[in-house]
Amino acid sequence: MPNNLISLATQLQRKEISSVELTTEYLKKIKKLNKKTNAYVFTNEEVSLSQAKKADQIIAKGAPSVLTGIPMSLKDSIMTIDMPTTACSKMLAKYIPTYNSTVYTKLLNNGAVLLGKTNMDEFSMGSSCLNGFFGEASNPYDTNRVTGGSSGGSAASIAQDTCVYSLGTDAGGSIRQPASYCGIVGFKPTYGAVSRNGLIALASSFEQIGPMAKNVGDTKIIFNVIKGKDEFDQTAFEIPRTTRQNPIIGIDEDHVEKTADKDTLAVFEKAIKACSKLGYKTVKIKSKYNDIYAKLYYILAYAEIASNMGRYTGIDFGYSTKSKYIDTNDFIKKSRSEAFSNEVKTRIMFGNHMLTGENMEKFYYKALKMRNDLVEDYYLNVFSKCDFILSPTTPTAAFRKDYKHESIQESALTNIFALPANLIGLPSISIPFGVSSDNMPIGMLLTGKRNFDNALLSVAENFEKHSGYKVLN
Amino acid sequence: MSKYNLVVGFETHVELNTKTKIFCSCANEFGGEPNTHCCPICLGEPGTLPQLNKEVVRYAIKAGLSLNCKIPQIMSMDRKHYFYPDLGKSYQTTQSARPICLEGFLTLDSGKKIRINHIHIEEDASKLIHDAQNIYIDNNRGSTPLIEIVTEPDIASVEEAREYIEKLQAILRHIGVSDCKMQEGSMRCDVNISVNKEGEPLGTRTEIKNMNSISFIEKAISYEYDRHVDLIESGQKNQIIQETRRYDEKTDSTESMREKEDAQDYRYFPDPDFLVLRLDSKFVENIKKTLPKLPAEIKSELIQDGIDEKAADLLVKYKNVSDYYLSAKTFGDSKILATYILGEIFRFLETEEEKEQFNIKISANDLGALSLLQKNNKITAHIAYSIIPKMLKDGNPHTAYLTKEDLEGFDNTEIDKLCQEGIAAMPKAVEDYKSGKEKALKAIVGYVMRATKGKADPVYTENKILELIR
């Protein structure tokens, strides 16, 4: 893919191009292409160019990092003082961040240039990027199709080359699914590998910030900059360095065949062949929990969502009702009712329902226990046989915007392969590997053990070499 | 005596005096300009995460160890949900499933143990200020660290209730985790009250929330006890309902808060922003090592030293007094020092607050030295008592007030002479003593003391008289 991170960094450092020139070029491109995809919801030329100028000075001094001067985008749920951060919700439409997220601070310390904030499903709730307050995002390869979500804007911004890389967030496939739909690489690190400080919370025990880029090599570089423990997030820690020679790849063929469509299965077959080309042994694996990932996710993640969304009362920040209210409760009720979309309200109600009265024991604690059982099962029965799991990222390529999922179960299916990584906290990466019969990108998913992020990225890099995916135009 | 037992349990919130708040680095200070001690984290801004203050964990464990609690190997944090303007995140981070301390007790003077069910750590809510139209929020108090100490319903009288709270205050002040000022809200009690007949199951309990004075607690318990008993006696037992009540000091009565408190579902669940915390046994052992002597231990040592129980109680009641006393004791005489502190010095420090602070101008060293002069009969108690108020006022050392004459004392040949004079002057006393009235000797000692204006050594004098009349 042209304009990848390493080639641009080389050009910048050889002073063949300046960051200001590069940034200007990208800003022009955004102006031209954003109408098509609505990938960006906020840009600020002044901010971007001043960061680019600073980067050029660092390069002139001869002390750049690989990221210095490289233009990137960030999902709109990642706090940036320089630009609005709204999680694409009416609730935060006028919110001005008071602090920078840890990941943004780290990128800035490396001389990164922020081009803008990318579209997403409101508060990351969705898998389509159709649910944001600032309008739908469209897949650059077919604007009648979704980008996927919730980090759809980030995926589209990379796919149409309106930035070099982006950061998304992934609580249930939200990085990997849009990456697969848009033909880019998307990586969800081990839970805790990257600080969540400054990420507008969706489901705290499920989500991670992760890099989205044009190839695995770029992804690796970005990950190494943003990872690490953080005084502002006590769940963040330093992952160990890992490698895996002669890795064994686990495949749950039955599960994939039952779920994926024909086009996806064809690409999957190629991925399995790639294993033998790479000399990787493959083994059959089976988890007895395949049918309950989505249920566990709905119960546990939505409970966390309901709790995390409580702070939006309109009192201290965010949208406040303009209509008359009787008392504080009425004020809170009206502010929330007017600012949240139905998707958000549904999840809050569902989550609170799971935590209310006897449901707490019946659903929440039962699911919590099963989540632990699932972790145990994976380590005892799956990772005892293999080092990495290979599956498609999603059962199909990007669906049409007007496609109506028949049920909540069916819509959960788009993340069926992605969810275990969130439930267990595993590193997982989607790599573009082929196309569907109608030329839409299809990604393959590699998932590793906790903390084996480096090893996973190395294996993914090797896989990528055998990818049948060519950049579409 | 009534045939109804009083059954009382306490839930006591204690504000810890750590330097910073429980989840961020904002100053943990009482008062201050509204909204000057806050940051995105304690305001609950989107994207912020808590960082548990290790000092809070240490302080809570200190409190637990001092109250004979078990410290479990792991603890976890939970969220308690409710919407109210004093709670920015709309949930309070607290402990429900796995609190930091379990199963302790506090021993009353009678030897009775008040069992502690558990102690947990949590964040305080912000302060709301109401006026006619508006509610104002002061977030300085938001996310300051609290421990909540929950007893079993073991308290059976108003006196025990007072003793429990006073002992609790003394302990927590001694270990330095809180100033326990009820008037400033750094200690607040929720009191659960029920009555029952001996041998019968517990009655329905009512809870009086947010009590901030011991005397109000006493009054409220008495009022509730009478109310419960009256309702039962008049056949209206069903009118005692499990509810939250407020004590009104103006009318000295309690009234229902008419809130559906118990119907409220707080939807407690594990806070995903915290890892389950392992309380390493070494960590706990190290905290144990830093614990000072507790009031009960100091008290029993004082009693062994010959201090009477009441005096010992007063000396350990206030942390600063106790510290001062123990320090002065290393330079002087323990009994004499107790009389100085509980007498002249406490007379000078009128309020509880002043005693608590014990900010006096006499160094422990100097007061100790003064007590030694008295002990060695260089000066009399009378002289010591007369100069302590001056020392308190001016802050000069005792040497500044003692005249040469004060310190001279009397030489023994002179005292021997006065003893002989006394014996000669009081033949009746000598006779009485010989016939077994030992006290009669005191009259002759008194004669010598008067003649020397109190400067004679009473022990020497008594021995001399005995020697002479034998």
Side-chain angles (χ1 to χ4, degrees):
Chain A
M1 190 177 264
N3 287 348
N4 67 38
L5 177 52
I6 296 175
S7 69
L8 284 173
T10 314
Q11 287 177 49
L12 281 167
Q13 282 164 37
R14 285 185 188 149
K15 304 200 178 70
E16 291 164 9
I17 187 171
S18 74
S19 178
V20 170
E21 285 164 350
L22 189 62
T23 302
T24 309
E25 202 177 294
Y26 269 109
L27 287 168
K28 267 189 210 156
K29 216 168 173 186
I30 291 171
K31 261 189 195 151
K32 202 175 112 200
L33 292 176
N34 207 48
K35 283 178 217 118
K36 187 179 155 194
T37 59
N38 198 25
Y40 282 91
V41 290
F42 299 107
T43 51
N44 183 331
E45 294 196 3
E46 215 175 295
V47 166
S48 306
L49 288 170
S50 107
Q51 289 178 352
K53 247 179 233 161
K54 226 185 256 169
D56 283 333
Q57 285 163 6
I58 295 167
I59 293 167
K61 274 189 212 146
S65 87
V66 194
L67 297 188
T68 307
I70 306 282
M72 53 89 190
S73 67
L74 293 175
K75 187 177 183 179
D76 195 36
S77 55
I78 297 172
M79 287 290 170
T80 53
I81 285 183
D82 302 312
M83 288 187 205
T85 303
T86 72
C88 287
S89 176
K90 183 179 176 183
M91 179 55 87
L92 293 175
K94 289 179 181 159
Y95 179 72
I96 298 157
T98 56
Y99 68 103
N100 275 336
S101 52
T102 297
V103 287
Y104 183 50
T105 304
K106 285 186 168 180
L107 292 178
L108 285 183
N109 291 342
N110 276 269
V113 175
L114 176 64
L115 289 171
K117 305 300 287 289
T118 57
N119 206 346
M120 57 187 281
D121 291 300
E122 181 181 1
F123 283 110
S124 303
M125 298 183 198
S127 306
S128 63
C129 215
L130 303 174
N131 296 334
F133 182 61
F134 303 106
E136 306 175 349
S138 307
N139 195 305
Y141 296 120
D142 177 354
T143 52
N144 291 316
R145 292 179 190 251
V146 300
T147 57
S150 62
S151 313
S154 286
S157 72
I158 298 162
Q160 66 180 0
D161 193 31
T162 48
C163 66
V164 180
Y165 66 92
S166 188
L167 297 186
T169 71
D170 189 321
S174 276
I175 285 176
R176 293 160 290 158
Q177 184 248 27
S180 178
Y181 285 0
C182 293
I184 60 148
V185 174
F187 175 46
K188 182 204 92 73
T190 291
Y191 184 78
V194 178
S195 167
R196 290 181 292 123
N197 173 46
L199 159 62
I200 296 180
L202 175 72
S204 313
S205 77
F206 292 82
E207 65 196 340
Q208 270 288 283
I209 297 175
M212 302 170 81
K214 291 164 182 172
N215 59 50
V216 180
D218 288 2
T219 307
K220 213 163 150 182
I221 292 167
I222 303 151
F223 172 63
N224 280 317
V225 169
I226 62 171
K227 74 177 173 63
K229 64 179 196 183
D230 179 16
E231 58 169 319
F232 293 110
D233 177 1
Q234 51 188 18
T235 63
F237 66 101
E238 203 66 57
I239 54 156
R241 288 214 142 273
T242 49
T243 54
R244 180 61 77 232
Q245 301 299 320
N246 308 315
I248 301 169
I249 309 294
I251 294 163
D252 189 344
E253 238 160 319
D254 292 346
H255 180 45
V256 175
E257 273 166 22
K258 241 185 355 196
T259 328
D261 71 3
K262 217 177 80 210
D263 290 351
T264 307
L265 281 174
V267 179
F268 181 56
E269 287 308 315
K270 278 182 200 155
I272 295 172
K273 274 189 197 131
C275 289
S276 65
K277 280 183 204 158
L278 288 163
Y280 296 167
K281 202 179 141 197
T282 58
V283 292
K284 276 198 178 188
I285 52 160
K286 183 135 212 75
S287 165
K288 56 184 174 192
Y289 289 93
N290 285 338
D291 295 333
I292 61 155
Y293 301 142
K295 285 173 196 151
L296 293 185
Y297 182 77
Y298 282 133
I299 296 169
L300 297 171
Y302 283 27
E304 291 181 13
I305 289 170
S307 171
N308 285 334
M309 297 305 288
R311 72 190 65 214
Y312 304 104
T313 57
I315 295 173
D316 294 313
F317 45 77
Y319 176 87
S320 306
T321 183
K322 309 286 175 288
S323 48
K324 282 209 169 107
Y325 53 89
I326 314 161
D327 56 15
T328 316
N329 267 340
D330 192 39
F331 170 84
I332 294 173
K333 207 184 288 174
K334 287 194 165 113
S335 299
R336 287 166 74 83
S337 300
E338 289 164 25
F340 289 150
S341 71
N342 283 342
E343 178 67 31
V344 175
K345 287 176 195 168
T346 306
R347 293 198 190 199
I348 292 172
M349 280 191 273
F350 184 91
N352 276 332
H353 186 61
M354 290 298 109
L355 293 172
T356 300
E358 59 181 16
N359 288 353
M360 185 70 112
E361 282 301 324
K362 232 162 96 187
F363 297 111
Y364 181 79
Y365 279 109
K366 200 170 169 191
L368 201 61
K369 192 192 165 294
M370 288 180 84
R371 185 182 189 183
N372 290 330
D373 294 345
L374 168 67
V375 175
E376 204 180 291
D377 179 58
Y378 255 71
Y379 275 81
L380 285 179
N381 299 323
V382 177
F383 286 130
S384 59
K385 299 194 181 89
C386 68
D387 302 303
F388 302 100
I389 302 161
L390 174 68
S391 74
T393 307
T394 62
T396 68
F399 51 91
R400 293 180 61 87
K401 283 183 187 170
D402 55 10
Y403 180 77
K404 290 274 176 283
H405 291 289
E406 276 171 20
S407 62
I408 192 163
Q409 282 88 348
E410 197 213 333
S411 84
L413 224 51
T414 81
N415 286 313
I416 193 73
F417 301 120
L419 279 178
N422 301 94
L423 283 159
I424 308 174
L426 310 172
S428 181
I429 186 166
S430 174
I431 313 152
F433 220 80
V435 290
S436 64
S437 50
D438 44 9
N439 255 351
M440 291 304 288
I442 288 174
M444 288 294 124
L445 193 69
L446 274 171
T447 301
K449 293 180 207 170
R450 276 183 198 158
N451 297 346
F452 280 75
D453 301 55
N454 298 124
L456 173 69
L457 287 164
S458 300
V459 170
E461 225 169 352
N462 291 336
F463 254 94
E464 189 181 40
K465 290 174 194 150
H466 296 271
S467 165
Y469 183 77
K470 299 274 182 302
V471 181
L472 306 168
N473 276 308
Chain B
M1 271 311 281
S2 165
K3 52 188 170 176
Y4 292 95
N5 293 328
L6 170 66
V7 180
V8 174
F10 273 94
E11 287 168 26
T12 308
H13 288 92
V14 177
E15 227 159 62
L16 300 178
N17 56 13
T18 52
K19 282 200 186 71
T20 55
K21 290 186 177 183
I22 187 165
F23 302 130
C24 62
S25 54
C26 288
N28 174 29
E29 283 168 17
F30 179 76
E33 279 288 298
N35 297 310
T36 52
H37 303 317
C38 41
C39 71
I41 297 166
C42 56
L43 292 173
E45 297 248 357
T48 56
L49 298 167
Q51 300 102 45
L52 182 58
N53 182 346
K54 210 171 176 181
E55 256 342 77
V56 172
V57 175
R58 274 203 194 96
Y59 277 37
I61 291 176
K62 267 189 188 181
L65 292 173
S66 311
L67 291 166
N68 308 295
C69 287
K70 292 176 190 153
I71 312 299
Q73 285 184 327
I74 49 173
M75 68 158 207
S76 58
M77 304 301 295
D78 297 283
R79 293 182 181 179
K80 175 185 179 180
H81 301 85
Y82 63 91
F83 283 105
Y84 206 62
D86 67 358
L87 198 60
K89 303 190 299 263
S90 298
Y91 62 80
Q92 180 193 28
T93 307
T94 175
Q95 295 187 300
S96 160
R98 282 180 281 200
I100 189 163
C101 309
L102 296 169
E103 295 168 32
F105 59 86
L106 182 151
T107 314
L108 301 182
D109 283 338
S110 63
K112 177 174 174 179
K113 285 175 177 167
I114 306 301
R115 289 171 299 157
I116 310 285
N117 177 288
H118 75 269
I119 302 174
H120 67 256
I121 56 176
E122 62 185 21
E123 60 180 329
D124 206 348
S126 296
K127 200 168 137 194
L128 297 184
I129 300 142
H130 298 259
D131 72 9
Q133 262 100 52
N134 298 304
I135 304 172
Y136 302 91
I137 306 172
D138 177 3
N139 288 299
N140 287 356
R141 201 185 67 188
S143 276
T144 55
L146 295 179
I147 51 174
E148 185 174 336
I149 303 162
V150 181
T151 73
E152 300 291 351
D154 286 350
I155 292 160
S157 69
V158 169
E159 292 73 29
E160 285 185 359
R162 168 177 279 274
E163 193 186 342
Y164 168 74
I165 290 297
E166 284 184 345
K167 286 230 151 52
L168 188 61
Q169 282 179 322
I171 290 169
L172 298 175
R173 285 168 179 163
H174 266 266
I175 60 173
V177 300
S178 175
D179 56 18
C180 296
K181 286 183 185 165
M182 294 191 90
Q183 67 279 13
E184 282 183 14
S186 63
M187 182 183 242
R188 315 188 282 272
C189 294
D190 299 344
V191 190
N192 287 298
I193 301 155
S194 69
V195 305
N196 69 344
K197 278 190 197 164
E198 194 61 49
E200 287 183 1
L202 293 179
T204 305
R205 68 188 159 89
T206 49
E207 184 178 23
I208 308 168
K209 273 212 188 277
N210 267 324
M211 303 291 293
N212 59 2
S213 127
I214 296 181
S215 67
F216 292 162
I217 290 173
E218 291 178 314
K219 287 177 184 169
I221 293 174
S222 299
Y223 180 87
E224 271 304 281
Y225 177 78
D226 290 345
R227 194 177 72 85
H228 285 215
V229 170
D230 286 350
L231 285 170
I232 295 168
E233 291 283 275
S234 61
Q236 295 172 283
K237 194 174 175 176
N238 59 355
Q239 300 253 333
I240 307 171
I241 50 170
Q242 193 170 329
E243 63 175 350
T244 303
R245 298 178 71 86
R246 185 190 1 247
Y247 174 74
D248 183 347
E249 62 244 42
K250 287 189 199 95
T251 58
D252 184 20
S253 64
T254 67
E255 58 182 12
S256 175
M257 286 171 82
R258 292 181 212 293
E259 274 174 19
K260 284 178 258 162
E261 267 287 333
D262 297 303
Q264 192 158 356
D265 186 341
Y266 291 117
R267 304 193 303 278
Y268 283 98
F269 87 117
D271 189 327
D273 289 330
F274 292 84
L275 303 171
V276 170
L277 208 71
R278 188 168 294 281
L279 299 167
D280 184 62
S281 59
K282 251 193 201 147
F283 178 71
V284 176
E285 272 314 304
N286 284 336
I287 294 172
K288 212 178 235 170
K289 281 181 203 149
T290 68
L291 278 181
K293 272 186 196 163
L294 296 177
E297 196 185 340
I298 300 171
K299 184 183 158 187
S300 74
E301 283 179 12
L302 295 188
I303 289 171
Q304 274 178 13
D305 273 4
I307 309 288
D308 71 68
E309 179 162 356
K310 248 193 175 159
D313 260 332
L314 282 169
L315 285 169
V316 299
K317 182 176 177 187
Y318 310 97
K319 160 81 173 150
N320 289 344
V321 174
S322 165
D323 283 353
Y324 183 96
Y325 174 73
L326 292 180
S327 158
K329 202 158 87 84
T330 62
F331 302 105
D333 179 77
S334 53
K335 275 194 205 168
I336 296 172
L337 281 165
T339 64
Y340 290 173
I341 290 172
L342 300 178
E344 292 310 315
I345 297 178
F346 268 26
R347 233 191 303 289
F348 182 76
L349 304 171
E350 285 171 7
T351 63
E352 287 286 301
E353 182 84 14
E354 283 171 331
K355 285 175 191 144
E356 180 60 48
Q357 286 182 352
F358 205 68
N359 213 346
I360 61 167
K361 287 180 177 164
I362 311 175
S363 72
N365 186 330
D366 194 36
L367 198 72
L370 184 66
S371 73
L372 274 190
L373 286 179
Q374 185 184 330
K375 180 167 190 244
N376 297 332
N377 298 308
K378 297 287 181 208
I379 58 165
T380 59
H382 175 74
I383 290 172
Y385 292 165
S386 69
I387 68 165
I388 288 173
K390 294 177 198 158
M391 292 162 72
L392 285 166
K393 214 169 140 239
D394 307 334
N396 294 322
H398 72 271
T399 48
Y401 305 101
L402 291 178
T403 61
K404 232 184 179 176
E405 197 190 326
D406 285 337
L407 285 165
E408 259 170 5
F410 274 75
D411 83 34
N412 288 347
T413 50
E414 200 166 336
I415 290 175
D416 294 353
K417 229 161 81 189
L418 285 167
C419 288
Q420 278 169 344
E421 263 181 50
I423 292 167
M426 301 173 159
K428 174 111 178 29
V430 177
E431 213 169 289
D432 285 352
Y433 176 77
K434 281 181 174 162
S435 65
K437 288 183 187 164
E438 285 191 19
K439 274 191 180 164
L441 207 62
K442 299 278 182 214
I444 307 171
V445 177
Y447 173 89
V448 179
M449 297 308 282
R450 272 195 301 280
T452 60
K453 289 184 186 145
K455 281 176 201 165
D457 176 349
V459 180
Y460 176 84
T461 307
E462 194 172 324
N463 288 339
K464 188 73 203 173
I465 295 166
L466 271 175
E467 190 191 308
L468 289 170
I469 60 178
R470 236 177 226 146

